[in-house]
């Protein structure tokens, strides 16, 4: 695709150059700064001073001042001109002779500065000598297959090197030590310092004129076969794709980042960055195209023109205006080396941002996002396209000149609803990505507020995550937006984040009471309870406690039972809470269960109160004509379990309330607490005839007690069964079952004295077998213990004999190893390790060890 990169301007008119001399033709051109030199076919050198001016319409024009000209007197065409500004010299090739002339006066320098027998020459733009007051040139000599390197000084020339070539060169270009030569059949690279050469590619010079043009450091542009402009480095490789020229190119020039080529009707301009044709300029009768320090000069035989490059920014903006994003970016990045770093960074960022908006307008969101990211776009530029998303307090103004031509999102999408939705989805994604990055620095409030509004409008699932976590949403802007889209639960979360918990709870209560419509959470009541449970503001908890408990006592009481673990400084007083909960019968039970069963608070009042509430609940249910048997059993089971497990309630008080009821089993439990086991067993065995309950009574009552206590209870139960005044077959069966199932508890001798003589052996067989096994086991364990004690005693005796066999030296200078005092009398204790100690020190040490052992045993037992 085309772009206007250059403008063609007339520099030197025909009349100014030749007047009325029609036969004068331009042969060569040189430009140095403002100085323009023209060599003609009649051996004249013309000198002009060019002044570039900008017109009001932005176009460029040139004013030309003619300076003195010079006739060289050889009656031959001036073939080439090269300026050496450091020497104030003009290198001239005329009649196969190189001569030097003064750049200002055009006077010839004396004959010592001439080189004869030259076909063509080139100046080394990358000199290797390092001398600023000389110019390196390479000449193709008339001598067959010879190239010469000269150093040109202000008033002399000096040959440095002469090389032979396999063929006669027809064109040459020089960079450092590297020569690029065109032979009749091919191009080569030759290092004149080392003599090594590298063939490039074949070329037929008979078909058209070869072109060898230095592009940059160790890189050349060559006219290749098939109308290709080929790039080649000094290493003999091509790092750029070729450009496509016409078959009859006669000249080429480089004005980075463009390559220009001249043929018989046009000047074609290609980009060196992507090798694409960018512009074609119609130009007939052209025969010279050259570049000079950023200037491109084009000439016919009669006139001179300038191809003026348009400002790079204008070219890029033209590309962006035609939505050629990639070309604009390639051009900008390719021109990096020609622009100061600071200016380039600003320009590059702006181009990337503009490109992003172009792609955004085309709904190419992924590509647009990447350009926004690379260009470090102020995200508010994007947000401002969406009406009302920026906070009302925002002071943001769009970039000037603008980065895009869109007034707002409606203008961009032309009101297309589907496109608007896609654009909003993109902005949600983009803001969510950048809100925690440095891109959002300085505008977090704008970003989060816009994101919240989009979430609310689109019903996005991430709305709650945003308002519940760290955010910078502007409350005054977000409240009406959330109310508009009925996002009241999220509004409450936002109030909570802004430390307005009271307002948050009020809103949530209105949702539960159906004063506000919001179906975000079906379990909002449970959420409110959890919120108040972990709320450190106790005034807020008390304020809404009535409403919560009126809704559901079982769940509502959690505001008191699920307090935060770190609530250490000002805890809720349980007595105050219990007093408050008296009007909520279920809640007070749940709260007491929390204190007694969960927190294991050892306080008699709480245990007694809970037992009374259990009892009253049971009696209340029992008194109802239509009561659920399952619920009644459940409540009675809780009462019974609590009475068994707790030891802190007032037993006599509870017993007084239970005596006149049908709760006989519970009465038995209470008698057990009072150690009145006979009364308890009488109830269980004779009143309830619940023998299983009687066995369980013995088991749980003796839990965590010693064996003798358990044996006592089981003996009492067996005695109850065997009471001679209340004998029955049912009690006899129960007694046999008790003996056979718990034989290990009973004293067999005591049992045999108790049972009637008429009981058969077969009836008591399981008990007797277990009793025998127990007796034998006890006897054998005693024998083992006795044998072990015997062995230990022998070991100690052996150690004693060993100690007595050894001689012990004791003197007044010898010290006790425990108290470190000397011995004053011959009495001492001798340890097996050979250490003597005082007798009183040894006794003290043994006593300490014994006390420590007892403490350790007690600790392990606990």
């Amino acid at each position: 695709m085309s772009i206007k990169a250059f403008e063609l301007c007339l520099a030197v008119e025909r009349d100014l150059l030749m007047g009325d001399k029609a036969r004068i033709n331009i042969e060569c051109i040189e430009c140095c700064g403002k100085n323009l030199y023209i060599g003609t076919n009649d051996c004249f050198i013309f000198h002009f001073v060019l002044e570039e001016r900008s017109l009001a319409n932005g176009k460029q024009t040139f004013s030309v001042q003619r300076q003195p000209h010079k006739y060289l007197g050889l009656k031959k065409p001036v073939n080439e001109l090269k300026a050496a500004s450091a020497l104030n010299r003009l290198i001239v090739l005329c009649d196969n002779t190189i001569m030097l002339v003064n750049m200002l006066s055009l006077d010839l320098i004396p004959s010592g500065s001439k080189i004869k027998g030259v076909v063509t020459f080139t100046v080394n733009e990358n000199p290797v000598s390092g001398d600023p007051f000389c110019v390196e040139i390479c000449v193709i000599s008339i001598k067959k297959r010879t190239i010469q390197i000269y150093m040109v000084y202000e008033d002399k020339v000096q040959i440095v090197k002469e090389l032979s070539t396999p063929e006669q060169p027809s064109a040459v270009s020089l960079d450092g030590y590297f020569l690029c030569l065109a032979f009749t059949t091919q191009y080569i690279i030759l290092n004149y310092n080392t003599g090594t050469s590298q063939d490039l590619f074949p070329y037929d010079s008979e078909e058209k004129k070869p072109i060898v043009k230095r592009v940059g450091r160790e890189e050349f542009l060559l006219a290749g076969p098939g109308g290709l402009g080929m790039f080649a480095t000094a290493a003999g490789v091509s790092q750029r794709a070729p450009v496509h020229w016409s078959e009859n190119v006669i000249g080429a020039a480089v004005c980075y980042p463009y390559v220009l080529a001249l043929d018989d009707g046009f000047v074609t301009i290609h980009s060196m960055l992507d090798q694409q044709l960018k512009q074609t300029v119609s130009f007939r009768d052209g025969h010279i195209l050259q570049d000079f320090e950023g200037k491109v000069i084009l000439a016919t035989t009669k006139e001179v023109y300038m191809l003026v490059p348009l400002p790079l920014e204008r070219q890029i903006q033209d590309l962006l205006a035609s939505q050629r994003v990639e070309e604009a970016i390639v051009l900008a990045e390719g021109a990096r080396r020609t622009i100061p770093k600071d200016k380039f960074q600003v320009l590059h960022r702006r181009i990337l941002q503009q490109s992003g908006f172009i792609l955004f307008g085309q709904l190419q969101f992924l590509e647009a996002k990447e350009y926004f990211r690379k260009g470090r776009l102020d995200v508010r530029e994007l947000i401002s396209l969406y009406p009302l998303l920026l906070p009302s307090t925002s002071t943001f103004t769009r970039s000037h000149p603008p980065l895009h031509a869109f007034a707002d999102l409606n203008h961009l999408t032309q009101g297309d609803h589907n496109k608007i939705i896609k654009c909003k989805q993109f902005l949600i994604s983009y803001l969510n990505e950048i809100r925690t990055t440095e891109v959002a620095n300085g505008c977090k409030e704008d970003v989060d507020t816009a994101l919240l509004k989009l979430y609310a409008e689109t019903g996005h699932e991430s709305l709650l995550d945003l308002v519940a976590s760290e955010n910078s949403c502007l409350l005054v802007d977000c409240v009406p937006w959330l109310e508009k889209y009925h996002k009241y639960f999220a509004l409450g979360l936002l109030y909570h984040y802004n430390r307005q918990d009271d307002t948050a709870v009020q809103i949530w209560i209105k949702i539960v009471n159906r004063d506000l419509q919001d179906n975000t959470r079906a379990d909002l009541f449970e959420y409110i309870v959890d919120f108040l449970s972990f709320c450190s503001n106790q005034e807020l908890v008390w304020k809404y406690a009535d409403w919560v408990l009126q809704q559901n006592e079982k769940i509502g009481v959690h505001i008191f039972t699920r307090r935060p673990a770190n609530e250490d400084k000002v805890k809720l007083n349980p007595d105050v809470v219990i007093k408050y909960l008296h009007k909520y019968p279920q809640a007070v039970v749940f709260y007491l269960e929390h204190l007694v069963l969960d927190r294991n608070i050892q306080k008699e009042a709480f245990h007694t109160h809970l037992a009374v509430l259990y009892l009253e609940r049971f009696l209340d249910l029992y008194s109802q004509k239509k009561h659920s048997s399952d619920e009644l059993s459940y409540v009675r089971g809780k009462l019974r379990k609590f009475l068994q497990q707790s030891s802190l309630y007032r037993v006599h008080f509870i017993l007084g309330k239970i005596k006149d009821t049908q709760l006989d089993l519970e009465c038995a439990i209470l008698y057990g607490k009072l150690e009145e086991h006979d009364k308890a067993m009488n109830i269980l065995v004779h009143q309830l005839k619940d023998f299983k309950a009687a066995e369980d009574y013995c088991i749980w009552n003796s839990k965590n007690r010693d064996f003798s206590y358990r044996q006592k209870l089981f003996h009492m139960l067996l005695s109850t069964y065997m009471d001679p005044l209340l004998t029955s077959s049912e009690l006899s069966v129960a007694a046999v079952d008790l003996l056979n199932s718990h034989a290990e508890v009973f004293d067999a001798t005591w049992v045999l004295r108790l049972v009637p003589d008429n009981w058969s052996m077969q009836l008591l067989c399981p008990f007797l077998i277990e009793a025998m096994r127990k007796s034998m086991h006890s006897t054998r364990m005693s024998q083992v213990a006795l044998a072990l004690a015997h062995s230990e005693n022998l070991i100690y005796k052996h150690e004693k004999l060993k100690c007595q066999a050894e001689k012990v030296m004791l003197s007044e200078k010898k010290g006790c190893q425990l108290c470190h005092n000397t011995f004053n009398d011959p009495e001492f204790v001798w340890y097996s390790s050979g250490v003597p100690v005082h007798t009183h020190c040894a006794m003290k040490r043994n006593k300490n060890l014994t006390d420590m052992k007892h403490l350790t045993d007690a600790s392990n037992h606990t």
Side-chain angles (χ1 to χ4, degrees):
M1 298 179 68
S2 62
I3 180 176
K4 190 171 183 180
F6 292 86
E7 282 187 339
L8 184 64
C9 301
L10 179 63
V12 180
E13 299 178 355
R14 176 193 298 258
D15 293 341
L16 187 60
L17 177 63
M18 60 191 66
D20 57 355
K21 298 179 181 179
R23 294 184 178 180
I24 296 178
N25 292 330
I26 299 174
E27 290 291 330
C28 60
I29 294 174
E30 171 66 1
C31 184
C32 182
K34 295 181 179 180
N35 299 292
L36 175 65
Y37 301 94
I38 299 175
T40 64
N41 61 339
D42 59 350
C43 208
F44 275 89
I45 299 176
F46 291 89
H47 181 196
F48 299 91
V49 176
L50 298 177
E51 292 287 347
E52 185 175 359
R53 296 177 182 175
S54 298
L55 301 179
N57 59 5
K59 291 188 176 183
Q60 302 294 317
T61 185
F62 293 89
S63 64
V64 182
Q65 296 180 5
R66 183 167 176 172
Q67 304 297 313
H69 58 279
K70 183 72 174 181
Y71 176 61
L72 298 180
L74 299 177
K75 298 182 180 180
K76 296 287 184 177
V78 178
N79 302 111
E80 292 186 46
L81 294 172
K82 295 293 180 182
S85 57
L87 308 178
N88 193 29
R89 296 290 181 264
L90 198 62
I91 305 173
V92 181
L93 175 61
C94 181
D95 192 22
N96 299 119
T97 302
I98 289 179
M99 57 193 77
L100 302 180
V101 302
N102 187 286
M103 286 184 66
L104 299 178
S105 65
L106 303 182
D107 293 334
L108 283 169
I109 305 302
S111 58
S113 60
K114 291 184 179 180
I115 305 173
K116 295 183 178 181
V118 178
V119 176
T120 185
F121 76 98
T122 185
V123 175
N124 193 349
E125 302 292 343
N126 182 23
V128 296
S129 69
D131 187 347
F133 299 106
C134 73
V135 175
E136 300 174 21
I137 65 172
C138 174
V139 305
I140 297 177
S141 176
I142 292 179
K143 297 178 183 179
K144 292 295 184 181
R145 298 181 297 181
T146 302
I147 293 176
Q148 297 170 327
I149 306 297
Y150 284 89
M151 303 295 286
V152 179
Y153 296 92
E154 187 177 356
D155 54 358
K156 66 178 181 178
V157 294
Q158 180 180 342
I159 189 168
V160 176
K161 194 103 173 179
E162 183 172 286
L163 300 170
S164 296
T165 58
E167 298 182 31
Q168 177 64 19
S170 57
V172 64
S173 186
L174 177 60
D175 182 86
Y177 288 114
F178 296 98
L179 293 164
C180 186
L181 300 169
F183 294 150
T184 55
T185 57
Q186 68 176 359
Y187 292 103
I188 72 164
I189 296 289
L190 175 63
N191 186 321
Y192 76 78
N193 185 47
T194 63
T196 57
S197 63
Q198 173 71 49
D199 293 342
L200 297 179
F201 51 84
Y203 179 77
D204 189 356
S205 61
E206 293 182 358
E207 292 184 2
K208 52 185 162 182
K209 176 184 175 183
I211 296 176
V212 181
K213 177 71 181 176
R214 180 182 181 273
V215 174
R217 186 179 181 86
E218 297 184 2
E219 186 176 15
F220 304 94
L221 174 65
L222 314 170
L228 294 177
M230 306 285 289
F231 295 93
T233 66
V237 296
S238 180
Q239 296 178 337
R240 309 176 197 266
V243 295
H244 292 273
W245 289 339
S246 64
E247 290 287 348
N248 52 352
V249 171
I250 59 176
V254 176
C255 183
Y256 192 83
Y258 297 106
V259 174
L260 299 87
L262 172 66
D263 59 27
D264 54 5
F266 299 94
V267 176
T268 56
I269 302 168
H270 290 77
S271 171
M272 294 174 64
L273 305 173
D274 59 12
Q275 290 73 47
Q276 299 298 312
L277 178 64
K278 300 300 181 182
Q279 185 180 358
T280 302
V281 179
S282 178
F283 191 79
R284 295 193 175 277
D285 301 325
H287 85 119
I288 295 176
L289 175 63
Q290 287 182 265
D291 58 89
F292 306 95
E293 299 174 351
K295 295 185 178 70
V296 180
I297 297 180
L298 186 61
T300 65
T301 57
K302 307 296 183 182
E303 296 176 321
V304 178
Y305 295 82
M306 301 288 288
L307 277 171
V308 181
L310 297 181
L312 185 65
E313 292 185 40
R314 178 177 166 184
Q315 296 180 44
I316 293 171
Q317 292 305 319
D318 288 345
L319 287 171
L320 292 175
S322 56
Q323 299 190 348
R324 292 154 64 184
V325 169
E326 291 187 8
E327 290 184 65
I329 293 174
V330 168
L331 178 58
E333 293 177 349
R336 179 194 300 262
R337 70 185 191 186
T338 65
I339 304 174
K341 182 178 179 180
D342 293 343
K343 183 178 180 182
F344 171 78
Q345 289 178 344
V346 174
L347 174 64
H348 189 232
R349 281 182 55 188
R350 180 175 176 82
I351 293 167
L352 290 171
Q353 293 170 6
Q354 288 179 280
S355 301
F357 277 109
I358 291 171
L359 294 172
F360 176 72
Q362 298 170 354
L363 306 187
Q364 298 182 40
F365 298 124
L366 290 177
E367 295 83 355
K369 179 171 68 174
E370 187 63 18
Y371 285 131
F372 289 153
R373 184 187 64 80
K374 290 181 179 178
R376 290 185 286 174
L377 175 73
D378 185 335
V379 68
R380 293 174 294 183
E381 287 280 0
L382 183 60
I383 298 174
S384 67
L385 282 175
Y386 297 72
L388 304 178
L389 285 195
L390 281 174
S392 56
T393 57
S394 177
T395 58
F396 172 76
T397 55
R398 290 184 181 178
S399 175
H400 184 78
L403 297 173
H404 53 80
F406 309 122
D408 55 26
L409 193 61
N410 292 321
H411 176 211
L412 185 150
T413 60
Q414 298 298 310
D416 188 314
H417 182 66
N418 290 331
K419 290 183 179 179
I420 291 175
I421 291 176
K422 290 180 180 178
C423 290
K424 289 181 178 179
Q425 290 173 344
F426 164 71
L427 185 60
I428 287 174
S429 171
Y430 184 64
L431 294 181
N432 195 44
E433 284 184 22
I434 62 96
R435 66 180 294 261
T436 56
T437 67
E438 62 179 10
V439 177
N441 288 348
C443 56
K444 288 184 181 293
E445 187 177 273
D446 305 82
V447 171
D448 284 358
T449 301
L451 192 57
L452 181 141
K453 291 179 178 180
L454 286 169
Y455 280 163
E457 181 181 350
T458 59
H460 200 279
E461 60 185 6
S462 298
L463 173 62
L464 301 184
D465 293 333
L466 174 64
V467 295
S469 59
E470 182 179 355
N471 66 78
S472 302
C473 298
L474 184 64
L475 187 64
V476 67
D477 251 42
C478 295
V479 169
W481 206 274
L482 292 170
E483 290 175 343
K484 176 182 177 181
Y485 294 102
H486 306 292
K487 304 297 181 183
Y488 297 108
F489 177 68
L491 178 58
L493 291 176
L494 187 61
Y495 273 120
H496 167 57
Y497 181 77
N498 285 273
R499 303 181 184 278
Q500 299 184 34
D501 290 347
D502 194 359
T503 307
V505 176
Q506 287 179 24
I507 292 173
W508 293 333
I509 288 176
K510 288 181 180 179
I511 298 174
V512 174
N513 293 339
R514 301 188 181 280
D515 297 330
L516 297 174
Q517 296 299 317
D518 185 354
N519 299 321
T520 302
R521 289 194 70 133
D523 61 342
L524 183 56
F525 172 70
E526 289 80 359
Y527 181 86
I528 295 174
V529 171
D530 286 340
F531 180 83
L532 292 174
S533 300
F534 291 93
C535 180
S536 59
N537 184 351
Q538 294 184 7
E539 291 182 5
L540 191 66
V541 176
W542 287 112
K543 180 176 181 180
Y544 294 105
D546 277 326
W547 179 86
V548 168
L549 292 166
Q550 288 166 9
Q551 298 293 316
N552 189 312
E553 290 186 38
K554 183 177 180 180
I555 297 175
V557 75
H558 290 164
I559 65 175
F560 299 115
T561 62
R562 294 183 179 176
R563 302 305 301 163
N566 58 354
E567 191 180 51
D568 293 330
K569 294 184 178 178
V570 185
K571 285 188 175 181
L572 288 174
N573 188 330
D575 294 317
V576 174
V577 176
I578 292 171
K579 183 178 180 181
Y580 171 78
L581 290 177
H582 267 299
K583 53 186 175 181
Y584 301 105
Q586 292 185 52
V588 71
V589 172
F590 292 133
Y591 185 67
L592 282 169
E593 287 178 339
H594 166 71
L595 297 177
V596 172
L597 305 179
D598 298 336
R599 292 177 56 186
N600 197 27
I601 294 180
Q602 304 295 306
K603 189 173 181 180
E604 176 271 323
F606 294 160
H607 287 247
T608 303
H609 195 169
L610 182 58
V612 170
L613 290 176
Y614 280 154
L615 178 59
E616 289 177 349
R617 176 60 179 160
F618 172 79
L619 295 176
D620 181 56
L621 284 174
Y622 189 76
S623 65
Q624 297 176 12
K625 293 182 178 180
K626 295 182 179 180
H627 59 260
S628 170
S629 58
D630 292 340
E631 185 177 4
L632 195 65
S633 298
Y634 174 72
V635 173
R636 187 175 183 180
K638 289 177 68 174
L639 172 61
R640 185 183 307 150
K641 183 178 180 181
F642 180 71
L643 293 177
Q644 288 178 347
Q645 293 180 348
S646 175
S647 300
L648 293 178
Y649 56 85
R650 291 162 57 194
V651 180
H652 288 286
F653 178 75
I654 303 299
L655 186 59
K657 287 182 171 291
I658 287 182
K659 273 185 178 180
D660 299 329
T661 67
Q662 302 297 320
L663 299 174
D664 294 327
L665 180 58
E666 287 72 14
C667 280
I669 294 171
L670 292 173
Y671 280 125
K673 293 289 183 179
L674 295 173
E675 295 291 330
E676 298 179 12
H677 300 298
D678 53 342
K679 293 182 180 180
M681 291 180 184
N682 183 57
I683 293 173
L684 295 171
V685 174
H686 298 303
Q687 293 184 26
L688 297 178
K689 298 187 182 301
D690 191 342
F691 307 127
K692 178 69 171 63
E695 288 185 31
D696 291 340
Y697 173 87
C698 293
I699 293 172
W700 69 258
N701 247 314
S702 60
K703 189 176 182 181
N704 298 326
R705 306 290 289 268
D706 58 23
F707 176 78
S708 62
Y709 188 85
R710 172 169 286 204
Q711 188 179 67
K712 172 187 171 184
L713 291 181
F714 275 94
H715 282 187
M716 290 180 68
L717 179 58
L718 183 61
S719 297
T720 304
Y721 287 155
M722 304 295 293
D723 187 350
L725 300 176
L726 299 169
T727 57
S728 68
S729 59
E730 188 178 16
L731 291 175
S732 297
V733 171
V736 172
D737 289 340
L738 181 66
L739 286 170
N740 290 336
S741 58
H742 297 281
E744 75 282 354
V745 181
F746 290 95
D747 181 350
T749 304
W750 180 85
V751 171
L752 292 174
R753 284 198 298 266
L754 182 65
V755 298
D757 295 336
N758 60 348
W759 281 16
S760 66
M761 289 287 291
Q762 186 177 1
L763 190 65
L764 294 175
C765 185
F767 167 73
L768 292 173
I769 292 173
E770 183 62 30
M772 290 293 293
R773 181 182 293 115
K774 177 184 175 184
S775 177
M776 291 177 65
H777 175 72
S778 178
T779 301
R780 287 169 180 169
M781 290 300 293
S782 298
Q783 291 173 348
V784 170
L786 181 61
L788 290 173
H790 220 322
S791 299
E792 187 177 12
N793 184 257
L794 287 174
I795 293 171
Y796 286 145
K797 285 182 177 179
H798 179 259
E799 293 294 327
K800 181 179 180 181
L801 289 172
K802 285 174 61 179
C803 291
Q804 290 176 346
E806 295 181 9
K807 292 182 178 181
V808 179
M809 296 296 296
L810 188 66
S811 67
E812 294 180 350
K813 297 181 179 179
K814 194 84 170 181
C816 173
Q817 295 297 316
L818 292 180
C819 68
H820 304 293
N821 293 323
T822 59
F823 290 93
N824 297 322
D825 53 59
E827 293 183 1
F828 64 93
V829 174
W830 178 263
Y831 285 122
S832 59
S833 59
V835 175
V837 296
H838 290 122
T839 54
H840 60 272
C841 290
M843 293 173 63
K844 183 178 180 182
R845 179 175 181 272
N846 290 339
K847 183 178 184 302
N848 290 338
L849 289 175
T850 303
D851 293 343
M852 183 63 69
K853 184 176 185 303
H854 288 323
L855 288 174
T856 304
D857 292 343
S859 176
N860 293 336
H861 178 71
T862 302

